Amino acid sequence: MMKRNNQQTARIRKMERCLVSASAAVKRLEAALDRYESVRQAIAALDEYYGSDLWRQDLADDEAGLLPENLKRGVLSQDAIWNLLADVHTLTTRLRTLTTQSEKQ
C-alpha cells in the first residue's frame, strides 16, 4: 500500500508542477498576444511605409543631411523594418503550426 501511495504522490506532484508551469506560460503568452494585437496597426503602417515613395524621400533627405541630427531613424535603415516584417512572418507561421498541432491533439 505504501508503494502505491509513493507512486501516486510522485505522480500528483509531477502533474502539479505541469499545471503551475503551463498556467504561467499560458498567462505570459496571453499577455504577449495582447501586446502584439495592440501593435498590429503599427506593423501594417510600417509595411506600407517601407519601400514607398515617402520612405525613399525620407531616406534621401537623411542621406543629404536634411534631417535633425538627434532624430531617431531606425526606420530608414535598410534592415530594421525588413527584419521586423520577416520576424512577423516567422511568428505568424509558427503560430499557425502551433494552432494546427493543438487542434490535432
Side-chain angles (χ1 to χ4, degrees):
M1 185 68 142
M2 188 60 104
K3 184 176 182 180
R4 179 175 174 210
N5 285 342
N6 287 341
Q7 289 174 342
Q8 185 179 38
T9 301
R11 180 179 57 250
I12 292 169
R13 284 185 179 135
K14 178 182 177 183
M15 290 299 108
E16 185 66 21
R17 286 190 304 271
C18 290
L19 176 63
V20 169
S21 175
S23 294
V26 167
K27 286 182 184 195
R28 286 192 307 270
L29 178 58
E30 186 175 27
L33 287 172
D34 288 345
R35 287 191 305 275
Y36 177 73
E37 283 180 335
S38 75
V39 298
R40 287 188 64 206
Q41 286 184 334
I43 293 168
L46 287 165
D47 189 24
E48 186 176 323
Y49 175 65
Y50 183 66
S52 69
D53 289 341
L54 285 174
W55 181 83
R56 282 192 268 291
Q57 184 61 55
D58 292 344
L59 178 61
D61 288 351
D62 183 43
E63 290 172 343
L66 300 175
L67 300 178
E69 285 184 31
N70 64 346
L71 179 66
K72 287 184 134 188
R73 53 183 41 80
V75 295
L76 300 179
S77 73
Q78 296 294 319
D79 296 326
I81 297 175
W82 174 266
N83 290 343
L84 171 69
L85 296 175
D87 289 345
V88 167
H89 176 74
T90 300
L91 177 62
T92 302
T93 301
R94 185 175 175 192
L95 287 170
R96 274 193 206 110
T97 300
L98 286 170
T99 301
T100 301
Q101 290 172 348
S102 293
E103 289 172 351
K104 291 180 180 180
Q105 290 179 343

